[in-house]
Amino acid sequence: MSLIVKTITRFTVGLVLVYGIFITLQGHVSPGGGFAGGIIITLAFIQLMLAFGQDEVLRKLNQEKGLLLAGIGAILFLVIASRIFLKPQQHSFVAEKHFQLLSAGFLSLSEIAIALMVAAGLFVIFLTLVLLIEEEEKEKK
Amino acid sequence: MSILLYFTIVPLGTAFLVTLLRKKKGISDLLAVLSSLYLFGLSLATAGLTKSHGVMIYKVGGWFPTIGITLVVDGLSAFLLVAINLVAFLVLIYAISYMERYTDKWKFHALFMFMLAGLNGVIISGDLFNLYVFLEIASISAYALVAFGVKPQNLEAAFKYTIMGAVASIFILLGIALLYSYTSTLNMADVAYCLSDKAKNPLLVFIWVLFLAGFGLKAALVPFHAWLPDAHSSAPSPVSAMLSGVVIKTIGIYALMRIFFNVLGVSINLLSVLMASGILSMVVGAFLAIAQNDIKRMLAYSSISQVGYIIFALGVGTPLAILGGLFHLFNHAVFKSLLFLDAGAIEYSTGERNMDKLGGLNNKLPVTGYTSLMAAMSISGIPPLAGFWSKLIIIVAAVEAGYIGYAIVAVLISIVTLVYYLKFQSFVFFGKLDAVYNKIQEVPLAMKTALVILAVICVMGGLMLTGTFRPFLEGASNVILSGTGYKQAVLGAIR
Amino acid sequence: MSLYFLCFILFCVGLYSVLRKRNIIKIIIGLGIMEYAVNLFLILVGYRMHGRAPIFAKDQEILNMVDPLPQAMVLTTIVIGLAVTIIAVSLAIRIYEKYGTFDITKIRSLKG
């Protein structure tokens, strides 16, 4: 890609990432939440890959680490959700202080876990489907 | 009551752990078998609790019923939970040795656990949209599991299954959207209350048709059965056993029963449509199965035929018929899985699936031969094995209700079933041994264990009708018979 | 009222594409169109006359809102549709590698 694209990308990738995190954290106040935030975070990585070529990015974040992050996000979400559902008396879902960042209890923590899982999962799917990378397999059959 | 949540949390957690720990050898087997054993024990405990408590309800997050989501377990759900977790546990034991031939066993275990989580979720959900979400989780994992091999046939069969299953799911979603627009609530008991207050409306007939098309495709009733022979014969054997024995019953027949009998309310038209569709499935499945040479395709057509028996029994509608239908559902889950696992064992030892080329395997594969003989005799209805009792109850109930023509067709199809299973047994196991197969050995220990346990259940299944297990079966059929009495049972237990 | 009819027409266009087209990619696109039609129908069900978006804002009293429940349902359904599309597309890629064509009338090795 040309020099203009690479320079602009250096500026805008950080902004896209911050925007994705903003949408995730404000999920209980304005529309958004885990899914939308996760997808926008993936878009930041895809933009890096388009501008700088796939080898540079794959050296830092390849498929193995992507699957690891997705697994960690998934287990974190399961732990948080089961703690909420099995002991509903300790967490209240109705917000006490409205319109503020920390007003929904454990719900925003689960949004963060969902965003991590969606971002890592979609990144791995992008690598597999678009760049046609497969995991190391030995054909035994 | 929060015991109900573990039915979905445990398989999901196992699937995620298997993904994280995929590099260590053998740990995915251990985790999967342990968690399915735990689920089986949990389902037996739930069945016991349901017998003493009545209906068990869990309000998710502590919200009130119509504002929040509820999980409901009554007699029918407990009955199906036990059947599903039992079959899943035995199939996972079988898959310890069978899946050695494929690469990446951790992917199989992760997808299998997702499918199990989805199936359990469908049974325990008390809410329409929750049912749809878990149904989709189970279906998507099934689409991915069918495509597990590397041969071209697997991909084509998986693609057909994906597209047809996705269209059926969209029909179901449209039905749920229309039902929500009519009653503005999603809780199943509440929808039943609203529908009993309003007058009859032609919109309900449209919703009814959409649900019949959607769930009928998932259950492989006859106009919608075209995906089943390809998908069930191209999948690896543990997956075929699970799909044919468990999945088409849960997301097809159980969801049909729940929505038609308990939420929408049945009428004579609906029952006669179910009966006609059941008879059609029986006949088409049986006649197409005689002409097959491939073992697994024949078993897949036989599945269509036996599901026709169950739907026919539901359509007759008398208490005895519904009891027979549910008993046949349990029996079919057991012996169809046993037959598919046997077909897999034959393929594992000899590498051949065509009946013409096999013969005389009884000396070399004694365990496989005897277990498949038990299963074949049971499914054809030979006394005193389990299948005989369930078919007898269905036919007697049909005669009592006055449908003598249909009962005669059912008896004739039973004879046809006996014909093609005898063909299977004599071509494959009796007769002369081909010289090519002199060196084959019996299947490994894990596979033998699963086959023997399933065969024992198959033989002793007749005991379900006697004293200790009878309330279990009757609790399930009472739920269906009470029809829209479901709404009083559920909402009364909450307040 | 005419909006509901347009949704059904979109649904029928998608259904026609799934049933009659021969290229695998067109079938997958038709599946996507059907799904969007049902999502649109779900959101339309929740519309109330003179309703506003169901979001609380500071220092404002909003009395008539549209129904927020179908909007939550549609969020979930969009993600489910994404998952089905991903599986169908990856199957299509593999089929192209094995058979060399996207035409479904030529991919018929399973008979009977």
Side-chain angles (χ1 to χ4, degrees), chain C residues 5-106:
Chain C
F5 278 126
L6 285 177
C7 272
F8 274 119
I9 292 179
L10 197 63
F11 184 79
C12 293
V13 165
L15 192 58
Y16 170 79
S17 173
V18 170
L19 292 176
R20 286 283 290 172
K21 294 290 178 184
R22 279 169 41 164
N23 196 344
I24 286 187
I25 303 295
K26 291 188 185 171
I27 294 180
I28 299 178
I29 292 179
L31 203 63
I33 293 181
M34 271 171 84
E35 218 178 300
Y36 295 160
V38 177
N39 289 343
L40 205 56
F41 180 72
L42 258 180
I43 298 186
L44 275 180
V45 162
Y47 180 67
R48 305 275 173 261
M49 294 291 285
H50 310 297
R52 314 227 354 227
I55 304 169
F56 278 121
K58 227 186 240 191
D59 310 328
Q60 279 182 23
E61 285 288 323
I62 304 187
L63 288 175
N64 45 349
M65 296 182 167
V66 294
D67 197 357
L69 183 59
Q71 301 189 357
M73 286 205 280
V74 164
L75 269 179
T76 313
T77 314
I78 290 179
V79 176
I80 291 178
L82 171 73
V84 173
T85 308
I86 288 178
I87 286 206
V89 166
S90 47
L91 278 176
I93 294 180
R94 288 278 181 191
I95 285 182
Y96 188 71
E97 281 176 11
K98 297 273 178 185
Y99 284 90
T101 173
F102 270 140
D103 196 352
I104 57 168
T105 52
K106 300 207 173 42

Side-chain angles (χ1 to χ4, degrees), chain B residues 255-314:
Chain B
L256 203 81
M257 285 197 280
R258 196 52 100 182
I259 291 195
F260 279 162
F261 283 89
N262 287 337
V263 172
L264 289 180
V266 286
S267 58
I268 289 293
N269 292 341
L270 172 62
L271 289 178
S272 37
V273 167
L274 281 180
M275 258 203 300
S277 157
I279 290 281
L280 199 57
S281 300
M282 266 196 242
V283 172
V284 166
F287 281 117
L288 282 174
I290 305 185
Q292 300 296 324
N293 280 331
D294 187 3
I295 300 180
K296 283 169 101 165
R297 258 181 115 80
M298 179 194 88
L299 292 176
Y301 277 113
S302 162
S303 273
I304 298 179
S305 182
Q306 301 298 316
V307 165
Y309 266 101
I310 301 175
I311 299 278
F312 169 68
L314 283 179

Side-chain angles (χ1 to χ4, degrees), chain B residues 139-272:
Chain B
S139 300
I140 293 180
S141 321
Y143 306 153
L145 275 177
V146 169
F148 208 73
V150 290
K151 297 201 291 272
Q153 282 98 344
N154 299 12
L155 295 173
E156 173 200 342
F159 188 73
K160 264 191 232 178
Y161 183 25
T162 302
I163 298 291
M164 293 179 85
V167 170
S169 299
I170 293 181
F171 278 164
I172 296 173
L173 185 64
L174 192 60
I176 292 180
L178 283 171
L179 203 54
Y180 176 73
S181 83
Y182 191 57
T183 54
S184 41
T185 173
L186 283 177
N187 199 354
M188 289 205 261
D190 216 18
V191 170
Y193 262 124
C194 287
L195 284 179
S196 63
D197 288 338
K198 300 197 184 189
K200 283 274 180 212
N201 197 345
L203 180 63
L204 279 181
V205 178
F206 184 52
I207 295 179
W208 182 92
V209 168
L210 279 176
F211 277 137
L212 190 64
F215 288 123
L217 197 144
K218 300 276 187 192
L221 296 181
V222 154
F224 317 109
H225 69 288
W227 56 272
L228 195 139
D230 296 331
H232 286 198
S233 59
S234 321
S237 285
V239 173
S240 287
M242 199 62 185
L243 276 180
S244 191
V246 166
V247 170
I248 58 179
K249 298 197 180 57
T250 314
I251 63 183
I253 302 181
Y254 166 79
L256 203 81
M257 285 197 280
R258 196 52 100 182
I259 291 195
F260 279 162
F261 283 89
N262 287 337
V263 172
L264 289 180
V266 286
S267 58
I268 289 293
N269 292 341
L270 172 62
L271 289 178
S272 37

